[in-house]
Amino acid sequence: MDPSQYLTQGSLSSIFQSPGAPELSTPHPVMQCLQMKSLAPAPGTSPTRFRLVLSDMLNYIQCMLATQANYLVAENKLQRGCIVRLKHFQSSAIRGKRIMIVLEMEVLEELGIFDKLGEPRSLAPLEDEGSMVAQPTTISSSGFYGNQIPGQNQNQQQQQQRQQQYQPQSMQAYSSGGQGGRGVHPISPIEALSPYSNKWTIKARCTHKGEVKHWHNKNGEGKLFSLNLLDETGEIRATGFNEQCDNLYEVFHENMVYYISSPCKVNIAKKQFSNLNNDYELTFERDTLVEKAEDQESVPQVRFNFTSISDLQTVEAQTTIDTIGVLKEVGEVAQITSKTTSKPYDKRDLTLVDHTGYSVRLTVWGSSATNFDVPDESVIAFKGVKVSDFGGRSLSLLSSGTMMVNPDITEAHKLKGWYEGGGRTDTFSSHASMGAATGLGGKRDPPKTISQVKEENLGMTEETDYFSLYGTIMYIKQETTWYPSCMSESCNKKVYEADPGQWRCERCDKSWPKPQYRYILNLSVYDHTAQLWLSCFDDMGRIIMGVPADELVEIKANDDHAATEIFHQASGKPWVFRCRAKMDTFQDQQRVRYQIMNVAPINWVELAAKHTEVIGTYDQAVAY
């Protein structure tokens, strides 16, 4: 069998001669993977990215593999020398280099693995496209194909002429600097944007547009707005400040598709302001071009990563997730007043259910609460809701979150079918009721001794492990017991004292005359087998210490001996802990972190009954 007969020879040249519709000119080309290299992500951010070199026997080119196709690497299907069929891809030019983004591919495993087929050449630069001058197949010192060859400078005028052949006519273009006009840069996927990108245009859907926010601080005042953008490869957050806010805010509308062209800064993402899975974010500049696209259908709608209602108990509090459910109940609009700002807030509680047999309360705020007009038993998909451990587990829609009623997606259709097929009459459990039954706010995780936790290597794998532990607190570290946090509701971020009597929160962009102190405890816990260090946050810290952190800080400031006595009283007490074991990285070293998810006094009657049952089982075994 000659494997070369399966390759679509000349397909790369054809793809880049049709930048407007490469998949139409060259549908499903078959190529060989010559090299594959992983690109390490920034610590604690998005998944590992992979760069490929694909060959059609005549030419080769560098490609980026979209993260949704990483499973091909994880399953060891995509290997050096294998034959692949590209199902979905985009061509682009970044910093003068041709590049392809592979969104979906199929590995033709039945064809096997081969050495390099033919003598492929680097695809000719843009100015030599007609002549297709062959370039030597070189491998750089990093062992990777496709380094820039001297003399391959772009002819900007020719490039613009080619691109204009494929760029749609605009309805109207807007520039924050007041100059209109369609950008002439090649269309780049969001996933390929980085601080090193220049002269690019993205075609993306605005999935969320926030309200204009104003700030006042010692450096002056200003305003901003932010929005979320989505294309087939990913999502990214974009922000406009001051003049850009004035010029562009009314241009963007949710669910509409736009062309956005540089100059536009690509910065490292501030994760405290965004829940999107992207290392970068955009900042509009004076000459950024924004244009509404005539084609509103080719860009996907909102991208979800759903967590089922039953799985909420395994999600850490303050985590941001997406969820979907059937609207079972709608509460009335209520108004609460912030204790810190005395500002009123409108809220409405919704009850959602799903096929897992659980229900959850979800709160919407502000205009989303007052304008909520969704019929009961509708399917609603939420993006960007925060998990709270209040009442076991509850959800709150963030200001940057969105909701879609009866979306045309597979998960919604399945939920609707389940509900109308009998789910309407089901009885649903709540995480709050589970908490009342167990005293531990959720699942009855298997009880372990400390020695079992260590011997079974809980938390040492990629999976998070949960367990219950009966133990006694022997020591509480007093060096790092609390931290100053923001006074805003639902914000627990650390604040710093910018000026005397002015505590600044970067996330909320607000200053407070004083902070709210919150616990962050490290406890040494013993049982009859061994010792273990556990950590916990404010909600569990209040139970263990018996007083709020604010009160303990004040006591310590006035009477250090009285504060020490509170620590002594908290030590030596037995508790039943529900814990989570998870691998953590600290100062470039991996370690297992044991965090207290819930804590309760030991029910000695229940514990004695369990021990009696175990003894009875042992007696029966001996008698048998």
Side-chain angles (χ1 to χ4, degrees), residues 486-506:
C486 180
M487 298 285 283
S488 298
E489 291 192 18
S490 73
C491 179
N492 301 327
K493 294 298 181 180
K494 187 175 181 179
V495 296
Y496 66 93
E497 192 170 16
D499 291 306
Q502 290 293 316
W503 293 83
R504 175 89 180 145
C505 176
E506 292 292 346

Side-chain angles (χ1 to χ4, degrees), residues 178-191:
Q179 298 295 322
R182 173 75 172 93
V184 295
H185 309 318
I187 301 297
S188 297
I190 285 177
E191 193 172 47

Side-chain angles (χ1 to χ4, degrees), residues 324-605:
I324 186 171
V326 177
L327 182 62
K328 193 71 171 177
E329 296 178 7
V330 180
E332 297 295 328
V333 176
Q335 193 172 84
I336 63 171
T337 302
S338 171
K339 295 180 181 178
T340 55
T341 64
S342 299
K343 188 177 180 180
Y345 292 92
D346 294 319
K347 57 169 284 190
R348 188 193 294 265
D349 290 337
L350 314 176
T351 300
L352 300 178
V353 299
D354 70 3
H355 63 286
T356 63
Y358 279 81
S359 67
V360 68
R361 189 190 76 234
L362 188 150
T363 303
V364 294
W365 302 86
S367 59
S368 297
T370 55
N371 299 330
F372 189 85
D373 187 23
V374 178
D376 288 353
E377 301 187 347
S378 299
V379 176
I380 309 181
F382 292 89
K383 183 175 183 64
V385 294
K386 179 173 284 190
V387 179
S388 168
D389 53 9
F390 179 77
R393 279 295 185 270
S394 58
L395 303 174
S396 179
L397 182 64
L398 299 173
S399 60
S400 60
T402 58
M403 62 180 176
M404 295 181 63
V405 180
N406 295 321
D408 186 16
I409 57 177
T410 302
E411 294 86 349
H413 298 318
K414 288 182 178 179
L415 267 182
K416 195 70 173 178
W418 157 79
Y419 191 77
E420 294 180 347
R424 179 182 285 109
T425 59
D426 286 355
T427 300
F428 298 96
S429 301
S430 69
H431 295 292
S433 63
M434 286 187 65
T438 64
L440 283 176
K443 295 182 177 179
R444 289 185 179 271
D445 298 301
K448 302 284 185 181
T449 63
I450 293 177
S451 62
Q452 287 176 323
V453 170
K454 295 180 177 180
E455 290 168 1
E456 296 175 15
N457 294 322
L458 298 186
M460 296 291 285
T461 63
E462 294 182 358
E463 298 295 327
T464 301
D465 294 315
Y466 292 85
F467 61 93
S468 296
L469 172 68
Y470 292 90
T472 300
I473 298 173
M474 299 304 295
Y475 176 71
I476 303 174
K477 281 188 178 180
Q478 299 187 32
E479 296 81 4
T480 54
T481 308
W482 50 68
Y483 70 95
S485 71
C486 180
M487 298 285 283
S488 298
E489 291 192 18
S490 73
C491 179
N492 301 327
K493 294 298 181 180
K494 187 175 181 179
V495 296
Y496 66 93
E497 192 170 16
D499 291 306
Q502 290 293 316
W503 293 83
R504 175 89 180 145
C505 176
E506 292 292 346
R507 177 179 181 180
C508 298
D509 199 19
K510 293 181 180 179
S511 295
W512 308 96
K514 65 176 183 178
Q516 178 184 2
Y517 286 94
R518 297 177 62 85
Y519 283 117
I520 178 168
L521 299 180
N522 288 286
L523 319 170
S524 177
V525 175
Y526 284 78
D527 67 3
H528 64 286
T529 64
Q531 178 270 344
L532 194 66
W533 282 99
L534 305 179
S535 65
C536 71
F537 294 104
D538 190 66
D539 47 358
M540 298 301 105
R542 287 170 176 252
I543 297 174
I544 292 170
M545 298 302 298
V547 296
D550 275 327
E551 185 176 335
L552 184 54
V553 171
E554 186 175 351
I555 292 173
K556 186 173 179 62
N558 297 322
D559 188 346
D560 190 69
H561 178 75
T564 302
E565 184 61 27
I566 292 176
F567 280 97
H568 288 166
Q569 292 177 2
S571 301
K573 287 187 177 181
W575 299 89
V576 53
F577 303 96
R578 179 174 183 258
C579 302
R580 182 186 70 175
K582 185 178 181 180
M583 186 65 73
D584 191 17
T585 301
F586 180 72
Q587 294 182 347
D588 297 329
Q589 292 186 348
Q590 285 192 325
R591 63 178 184 179
V592 179
R593 181 183 180 190
Y594 304 99
Q595 182 180 342
I596 300 171
M597 306 303 294
N598 217 327
V599 62
I602 296 176
N603 186 330
W604 296 107
V605 175

